[in-house]
Amino acid sequence: MQKQPVSLSEKDFSVLYDVATSIHTICDMNAMMQHIFSKIKALLKIEGLSVALHDAKNREFVFIRTVEDSESDSPRMLPEMKFPDHLGIAGWVLRENKSTMVNNVKKDRRFYSDLDRKAGFTTRSMVCVPLKTRKGLMGVLYAINKLSGAFTRKEVRLLEVLSGSIAVSIENAKLYGELMSTADVLRKENMSLRQGIAERFQLQGIVGNSMAMRQVFHMVEKVLDSKTTVLLQGETGTGKELIARVIHHNGVLKDKPFVAENCGALTETLLESELFGHVRG
């Protein structure tokens, strides 16, 4: 059966615009969802909204957002709630991949009452719409308990339009969380590598107690706090590169890359080009 067109008011379009812009202007997911839900709640005149994400691996729905108190914009602190994905109205929405409106849940066999018992809440009516992304259905959005009258087709259509923006915001938040987690791991690895390099090339890591080595240590310490050029001379195998690394990793340029070149392996002209650059031709 073909759906009848639904006309939206200026206030409806205002909420749609506000929800869309919130995705880009509010970085914190909880703050963003709180802002979006408060706008929808006021527009539809309902008691609250909920979001349940579908965990395909475990074949269950997991609530990431629970019913809000009708007298406050703060979410009620409820224990983590999960239920099998074949149960309830959400299970029907998942199978049929379409929205549904129920104005009296007591007369609907699809309703799963165990959730109300766990939450200490009474559901009277609801609209449940799928949350879809490019990857498919990621969960459902509930609008719960119309404060006066009954839900209408217009409100179902409005939630369907809003669900797209909400799904994108949740997906972006999950990706952002994964990126932050990866960045945190890389940051810790970087710190660990830097610490390892610092410990390896610290002055006391060089073994030597002779007068000659003490003179080397003294000269190294004199140049650590400056950007002066240092020339190291000595026979092959005497540790010139080791001393160079100690100076670099303990000096003012320790955050810069250290590049070692084997001058003996380069011709005079190539070495000059490697150290000072060249102009073609």
Side-chain angles (χ1 to χ4, degrees):
M1 183 175 66
Q2 187 177 6
K3 294 181 180 179
Q4 295 297 321
V6 175
S7 60
L8 301 178
S9 66
E10 184 176 344
K11 187 177 180 180
D12 298 331
F13 283 111
S14 176
V15 172
L16 289 173
Y17 174 79
D18 194 31
V19 169
T21 54
S22 297
I23 296 175
H24 306 289
T25 58
I26 305 177
C27 297
D28 180 72
M29 180 178 174
N30 286 331
M32 178 180 61
M33 296 292 284
Q34 183 67 36
H35 178 77
I36 291 173
F37 277 22
S38 64
K39 294 291 183 179
I40 299 175
K41 185 177 159 188
L43 176 67
L44 301 185
K45 295 180 175 57
I46 55 177
E47 192 167 347
L49 291 99
S50 296
V51 168
L53 297 185
H54 183 231
D55 182 352
K57 181 179 180 181
N58 295 313
R59 302 192 66 176
E60 63 184 7
F61 282 104
V62 181
F63 280 94
I64 63 166
R65 186 75 180 185
T66 53
V67 178
E68 295 178 339
D69 191 336
S70 60
E71 298 179 357
S72 171
D73 285 333
S74 300
R76 300 172 66 183
M77 300 303 293
L78 298 176
E80 186 181 54
M81 291 170 54
K82 301 178 181 180
F83 65 98
D85 63 6
H86 66 280
L87 296 177
I89 292 175
W92 183 90
V93 171
L94 175 66
R95 291 189 300 273
E96 301 296 326
N97 195 22
K98 61 182 180 181
S99 306
T100 187
M101 176 175 62
V102 182
N103 279 309
N104 188 346
V105 298
K106 291 183 179 180
K107 296 182 179 180
D108 196 304
R109 294 181 179 180
R110 298 172 299 176
F111 180 64
Y112 182 54
S113 59
D114 281 5
L115 291 176
D116 276 7
R117 284 194 290 270
K118 291 178 181 179
F121 186 80
T122 301
T123 302
R124 300 184 302 275
S125 59
M126 71 162 64
V127 171
C128 186
V129 301
L131 292 172
K132 301 177 183 178
T133 67
R134 291 173 298 175
K135 298 178 181 179
L137 192 146
M138 68 181 304
V140 296
L141 170 67
Y142 294 95
I144 301 174
N145 292 349
K146 186 76 172 173
L147 295 178
S148 61
F151 284 111
T152 64
R153 180 59 201 164
K154 173 185 174 181
E155 290 160 335
V156 175
R157 183 56 186 153
L158 188 60
L159 281 173
E160 287 175 340
V161 175
L162 290 168
S163 68
S165 297
I166 294 173
V168 170
S169 69
I170 294 173
E171 187 175 48
N172 288 345
K174 290 172 68 177
L175 292 173
Y176 180 77
E178 291 172 2
L179 287 173
M180 289 298 99
S181 178
T182 302
D184 186 56
V185 171
L186 291 175
R187 185 163 49 250
K188 290 179 180 178
E189 289 180 352
N190 186 34
M191 290 176 61
S192 178
L193 289 172
R194 285 179 178 274
Q195 184 178 359
I197 290 173
E199 290 175 354
R200 180 179 178 186
F201 296 110
Q202 57 185 338
L203 291 181
Q204 56 266 37
I206 303 177
V207 179
N209 195 35
S210 65
M211 180 62 69
M213 287 304 299
R214 286 201 295 269
Q215 289 177 351
V216 171
F217 294 154
H218 178 67
M219 287 187 290
V220 168
E221 289 174 348
K222 289 174 65 176
V223 300
L224 289 182
D225 296 328
S226 68
K227 294 183 179 180
T228 185
T229 301
V230 179
L231 175 63
L232 300 175
Q233 294 179 310
E235 299 295 329
T236 300
T238 55
K240 297 186 295 297
E241 185 177 331
L242 178 61
I243 295 296
R245 287 182 181 275
V246 167
I247 294 173
H248 176 79
H249 291 293
N250 289 274
V252 294
L253 299 176
K254 60 185 177 182
D255 293 327
K256 304 296 183 180
F258 178 87
V259 180
E261 289 286 357
N262 184 0
C263 299
L266 302 175
T267 63
E268 182 178 346
T269 53
L270 185 58
L271 177 61
E272 181 180 300
S273 174
E274 184 72 18
L275 296 178
F276 306 109
H278 69 281
V279 177
R280 185 177 182 181

